[in-house]
Amino acid sequence: MNINLKRYQETAVDQLVDAVKGLLGKDGQKKVCVFQAPTGSGKTVMTAKFIENLIKELPDEDMCFVWVSIGKGDLHLQSKHSLEKIFGGSPRVSLVEEEFTGSRERVVKNEVVVVNWEKLRSKDRETGDWKNTLMKDGEKLNFRDVLFKTREQRKIILVIDESHIGATAERTNELREEICADVILEMSATPKIQPDPRDIARGVAGYIFIEPKEVIDAGVIKKELIINEKIGEISSNEMDSQEVILEAAYKKRLALKKLFEAEKSSINPLVLVQIPTAEAGEDKIKAVKQFLDKKGIVERKDGHGNGKLAIWLSEWKSETLEWVAESDNEIEYLIFKQAIDTGWDCPRAHILVKFRESHSETFEIQTVGRILRMPELKHYSHEDLNKGFIFTNVQSIIVKKEEYNPNIIKHLKADRKDCYKKIGLTSYYKARADYGDITSSFDDVFEEVACKKLELEKENFFDQNLKIVEKKGVIVNLKQYQQEIITDAKIEGKSFDDLEGKIDFEQKTRLNIAGNDLQIMFEQVIKNNLGSFRNVKRSVPKVKTSIYLWFRKYLGTKDWDEEMTLIQKVFLHNGNRKVFEAILVEAIDAFKAVRDKEIQKRIEASEQFYDFDVQPEDFFNQHADERVKAKKYVYEPCYLNVDRSGPEREFEKFLEENADKIIWWWKNGENKNDYFGIKYFYPENMINTFYPDYLVQFVGGKIGIFETKDQGDRDGQTYTKAKAEKLQAYIKEQNTKGKKLFGGIAIQRNGVWKINQKPEKNDWSDWQDFEI
């Protein structure tokens, strides 16, 4: 199956391959690699691609894979179905209960065996004997025997899906002992174990981590989850809390559907309704069905009904789950009693209705995780489509802090005060376009530069091209790559205290370089020559791919044994390295112009100007925001980010000390189109968005726009100068259109606030005391 991976996914796959290749080369068993990726980031797809690529890069390695699901339900069946779909027939995917009932002795080379450990692990409490026939000793081979015989012939890589499940990770420990794999890959959003950094440094453990921000920026998951939005507008004396949250969810779904239609998208947003698991659950199902029946939303039974309502059934097969998840599926509401199986992927699920549980008020991330994914793997121009919505009738909410993404759930509501009147300021927004990395467009640039330097004109003329590059002094026929290391060196004890600096020894010997060292050297050459492309994690895998593609296209390396390793050897060989490094430097330099055009196109496609007003309500997170006493803040109550800078906190005190001259003030945010932004250029021709820190409505009618800075931030060549000058230009332009604006960069000096309102920001002579 051809899957276009996002850049963070490509990087993670490459890192997984490199880490596991290194671990396979080490002695011993049970070497662990932890793969930590946020909920909704595509862990299954990335791990499947890792398996594919590992098999391609190690064609001579005799290995197999055991893919284990932990936890109740049929996640393993979904995993098998997903893997088969991704692999498209190769490698082979088997289900343990179908293939290993006594007739097979071993797992074959490159095979992926899918296991539900929950079904296999049960033992008799008194005797300690295995209960499941697949694990019991008997006349036929059990699965433990199969694993033992497999280990005699080939290496086993154990993949533990959602390894965090289980309070003490007891099941994970069982797996390690029973399967006794050469390498254990634990994949989870919140892994229970973290490898020792010293083991990672020594290459006997691995750790691959994906930042949640990377996943959000890529448009794969939603920016935030909002709890009980505008629920106060629906509440009435005639409606109980159950009806209120159902009505709020109903109206929100209709609004989202209209927004998708405005985006010319066929997405039919789905509402998930979670019913309590206690006996009261059946009554809740009846109540929900009655409410939806009044709205014309009913189940389809025996050919009757519109099918807009469905009830989750534990016996649903993977084909049914896929059908429900289709973007334009007719089902609008899905009721489920038990938690939806971890791993079920339904990106069109946009709203979660959660009724009160008698025993718990805690939101579990795997429950809300079902509404985290973006349906079309992109963010939209309307921010509501980039959010998930939760409606619940619990009296209070305990949100577990997610260490990997603490600000995802926003459940603290604040309402805009009545003193606020619409201001309609022209605001600018653009989606992030530059990640400081090298992209797939580098393939063509590297090809052009390499062919020009080596005077190659035709692809697929391998023999002819090999002769040409050899005439250029490139040695291609390499059987091994060696490095010089010190031999028979002696340092006299009396000289220890006198040693300083680099020491050269005359006697050296040449030894074959280890495969993992070769990989490190190859990547280091790339890192050393990335120039202005600072995102090493994203860039190195892409440059490697471009180099590999060129070798395959022009020198026919597809037919080489251990293709990737030999390419690295040729690239790094003494005389060759200067040639290829020069090509790499020139290609990366040439790519800058290509990248600038790419960025410009992305910006032009995403940028928008609109009339800005502070939203009627906003939502906050108890771990990321703090409640602050403020008389004049535009929202009640006042929640502000806990990571505000010192100057920002001091400026807020300054505003509150002058409360008699202020109607309201508001703290701006960043990188969303419900914040206030100004377009500016820095460096020249590079488009950026400036989000001023504060908007302030004064008693006299003026609106102030202020950016606070530390006293030390006064360098005239920095972004601050560009922002300051653009702010003054913006104020001047808006005032010609009838606005009453003023503002500038604000700095506290010797306890006194000063402001710069000059068209051009220079030295301290341009700063005046800020008197409100």
Side-chain angles (χ1 to χ4, degrees), residues 25 60 119 188 248 267 275 312 342 382 472 491 495 565 573 580 600 652 671 704 716:
D60 298 327
K119 293 184 177 180
S188 171
I267 300 297
I275 301 298
W312 176 282
T342 296
H382 198 291
K472 291 285 183 182
I491 300 175
S495 4
T565 302
H573 185 70
F580 286 114
Q600 195 65 35
E652 290 158 10
N671 299 325

Short mmCIF file of all heavy atoms in Angstrom, two decimals, residues 25 60 119 188 248 267 275 312 342 382 472 491 495 565 573 580 600 652 671 704 716:
data_model
loop_
_atom_site.label_atom_id
_atom_site.label_comp_id
_atom_site.label_asym_id
_atom_site.label_seq_id
_atom_site.Cartn_x
_atom_site.Cartn_y
_atom_site.Cartn_z
N GLY A 25 22.73 -5.83 16.07
CA GLY A 25 24.16 -6.09 15.95
C GLY A 25 24.85 -6.31 17.28
O GLY A 25 26.04 -6.65 17.32
N ASP A 60 19.69 -9.95 4.24
CA ASP A 60 20.36 -11.19 4.65
C ASP A 60 20.14 -11.53 6.12
O ASP A 60 20.60 -12.58 6.59
CB ASP A 60 21.87 -11.08 4.37
CG ASP A 60 22.16 -10.90 2.89
OD1 ASP A 60 21.39 -11.46 2.07
OD2 ASP A 60 23.13 -10.20 2.56
N LYS A 119 -5.47 -12.92 25.91
CA LYS A 119 -6.15 -14.20 25.74
C LYS A 119 -5.23 -15.38 26.01
O LYS A 119 -5.68 -16.48 26.32
CB LYS A 119 -6.73 -14.29 24.33
CG LYS A 119 -7.86 -13.30 24.09
CD LYS A 119 -8.48 -13.48 22.72
CE LYS A 119 -9.66 -12.53 22.54
NZ LYS A 119 -10.30 -12.68 21.21
N SER A 188 4.07 3.35 22.60
CA SER A 188 3.02 3.90 23.47
C SER A 188 3.12 5.43 23.47
O SER A 188 4.17 6.00 23.19
CB SER A 188 3.19 3.36 24.89
OG SER A 188 2.32 4.04 25.79
N ALA A 248 -26.57 20.48 23.16
CA ALA A 248 -25.34 21.21 22.81
C ALA A 248 -24.55 20.44 21.76
O ALA A 248 -24.03 21.02 20.79
CB ALA A 248 -24.49 21.45 24.05
N ILE A 267 -16.86 15.52 4.66
CA ILE A 267 -16.79 14.93 6.00
C ILE A 267 -18.14 15.04 6.70
O ILE A 267 -18.75 16.11 6.76
CB ILE A 267 -15.70 15.62 6.86
CG1 ILE A 267 -14.32 15.48 6.22
CG2 ILE A 267 -15.70 15.04 8.27
CD1 ILE A 267 -13.83 14.07 6.08
N ILE A 275 -21.84 5.83 27.29
CA ILE A 275 -22.85 5.53 28.31
C ILE A 275 -22.16 4.90 29.52
O ILE A 275 -21.21 4.13 29.37
CB ILE A 275 -23.89 4.54 27.73
CG1 ILE A 275 -24.57 5.16 26.50
CG2 ILE A 275 -24.93 4.18 28.77
CD1 ILE A 275 -25.33 6.43 26.77
N TRP A 312 -22.65 0.71 19.22
CA TRP A 312 -21.42 -0.10 19.11
C TRP A 312 -21.69 -1.51 19.62
O TRP A 312 -22.17 -1.71 20.72
CB TRP A 312 -20.31 0.57 19.93
CG TRP A 312 -19.03 -0.20 19.99
CD1 TRP A 312 -18.75 -1.30 20.76
CD2 TRP A 312 -17.84 0.09 19.26
NE1 TRP A 312 -17.46 -1.71 20.55
CE2 TRP A 312 -16.88 -0.89 19.63
CE3 TRP A 312 -17.47 1.05 18.33
CZ2 TRP A 312 -15.59 -0.91 19.12
CZ3 TRP A 312 -16.19 1.03 17.81
CH2 TRP A 312 -15.27 0.07 18.20
N THR A 342 -9.04 0.61 22.16
CA THR A 342 -7.83 1.35 21.87
C THR A 342 -7.35 0.98 20.47
O THR A 342 -7.29 -0.19 20.13
CB THR A 342 -6.74 1.01 22.89
OG1 THR A 342 -7.16 1.43 24.17
CG2 THR A 342 -5.43 1.69 22.54
N HIS A 382 -11.14 27.51 9.38
CA HIS A 382 -11.99 27.82 10.53
C HIS A 382 -11.51 26.99 11.72
O HIS A 382 -11.48 25.76 11.67
CB HIS A 382 -13.46 27.52 10.24
CG HIS A 382 -14.39 28.20 11.19
ND1 HIS A 382 -14.49 27.83 12.52
CD2 HIS A 382 -15.25 29.25 11.03
CE1 HIS A 382 -15.37 28.61 13.13
NE2 HIS A 382 -15.85 29.47 12.25
N LYS A 472 36.49 9.75 -13.06
CA LYS A 472 36.53 10.97 -12.23
C LYS A 472 37.24 10.72 -10.89
O LYS A 472 37.31 11.60 -10.05
CB LYS A 472 35.09 11.45 -11.94
CG LYS A 472 34.38 11.99 -13.17
CD LYS A 472 34.87 13.36 -13.54
CE LYS A 472 34.13 13.94 -14.72
NZ LYS A 472 34.66 15.26 -15.10
N ILE A 491 52.17 4.96 26.72
CA ILE A 491 52.37 6.23 27.43
C ILE A 491 53.01 5.89 28.76
O ILE A 491 52.48 5.10 29.54
CB ILE A 491 51.03 6.97 27.67
CG1 ILE A 491 50.35 7.27 26.33
CG2 ILE A 491 51.26 8.25 28.45
CD1 ILE A 491 48.98 7.87 26.49
N SER A 495 54.64 10.42 32.50
CA SER A 495 54.20 11.55 31.66
C SER A 495 52.73 11.89 31.79
O SER A 495 52.25 12.80 31.16
CB SER A 495 54.48 11.29 30.19
OG SER A 495 54.98 10.10 29.92
N THR A 565 24.43 -0.10 2.93
CA THR A 565 25.76 -0.14 3.55
C THR A 565 26.85 0.14 2.52
O THR A 565 27.79 0.91 2.77
CB THR A 565 26.00 -1.51 4.21
OG1 THR A 565 24.98 -1.73 5.18
CG2 THR A 565 27.37 -1.56 4.88
N HIS A 573 34.54 6.60 1.34
CA HIS A 573 35.90 6.14 1.01
C HIS A 573 36.83 7.35 0.81
O HIS A 573 36.43 8.36 0.24
CB HIS A 573 35.87 5.27 -0.23
CG HIS A 573 37.21 4.67 -0.56
ND1 HIS A 573 37.79 3.70 0.21
CD2 HIS A 573 38.10 4.94 -1.56
CE1 HIS A 573 38.97 3.37 -0.30
NE2 HIS A 573 39.18 4.12 -1.37
N PHE A 580 31.97 13.57 -3.12
CA PHE A 580 30.55 13.56 -2.75
C PHE A 580 30.20 14.65 -1.74
O PHE A 580 29.09 15.19 -1.76
CB PHE A 580 30.17 12.18 -2.22
CG PHE A 580 30.07 11.13 -3.29
CD1 PHE A 580 30.96 10.07 -3.33
CD2 PHE A 580 29.09 11.22 -4.27
CE1 PHE A 580 30.88 9.11 -4.32
CE2 PHE A 580 29.00 10.27 -5.27
CZ PHE A 580 29.89 9.21 -5.31
N GLN A 600 7.07 30.06 0.27
CA GLN A 600 6.23 31.15 -0.20
C GLN A 600 4.88 30.63 -0.69
O GLN A 600 3.82 31.20 -0.41
CB GLN A 600 6.95 31.90 -1.34
CG GLN A 600 6.33 33.26 -1.66
CD GLN A 600 6.46 34.25 -0.51
OE1 GLN A 600 7.43 34.23 0.21
NE2 GLN A 600 5.45 35.09 -0.33
N GLU A 652 1.21 43.35 33.57
CA GLU A 652 -0.15 43.09 34.03
C GLU A 652 -0.43 43.80 35.37
O GLU A 652 -1.52 44.35 35.58
CB GLU A 652 -0.37 41.57 34.17
CG GLU A 652 -0.42 40.86 32.83
CD GLU A 652 -0.11 39.37 32.90
OE1 GLU A 652 -0.04 38.83 34.03
OE2 GLU A 652 0.07 38.76 31.84
N ASN A 671 -0.21 31.66 17.06
CA ASN A 671 -0.34 30.55 16.10
C ASN A 671 -1.74 29.98 15.97
O ASN A 671 -1.91 28.81 15.64
CB ASN A 671 0.64 29.43 16.45
CG ASN A 671 2.07 29.90 16.39
OD1 ASN A 671 2.42 30.72 15.55
ND2 ASN A 671 2.89 29.40 17.28
N GLY A 704 -5.04 50.24 22.91
CA GLY A 704 -3.60 50.12 22.93
C GLY A 704 -3.14 48.72 22.51
O GLY A 704 -3.76 47.72 22.88
N GLY A 716 19.04 46.71 17.70
CA GLY A 716 18.33 47.26 16.55
C GLY A 716 18.24 46.34 15.36
O GLY A 716 17.49 46.59 14.43
#
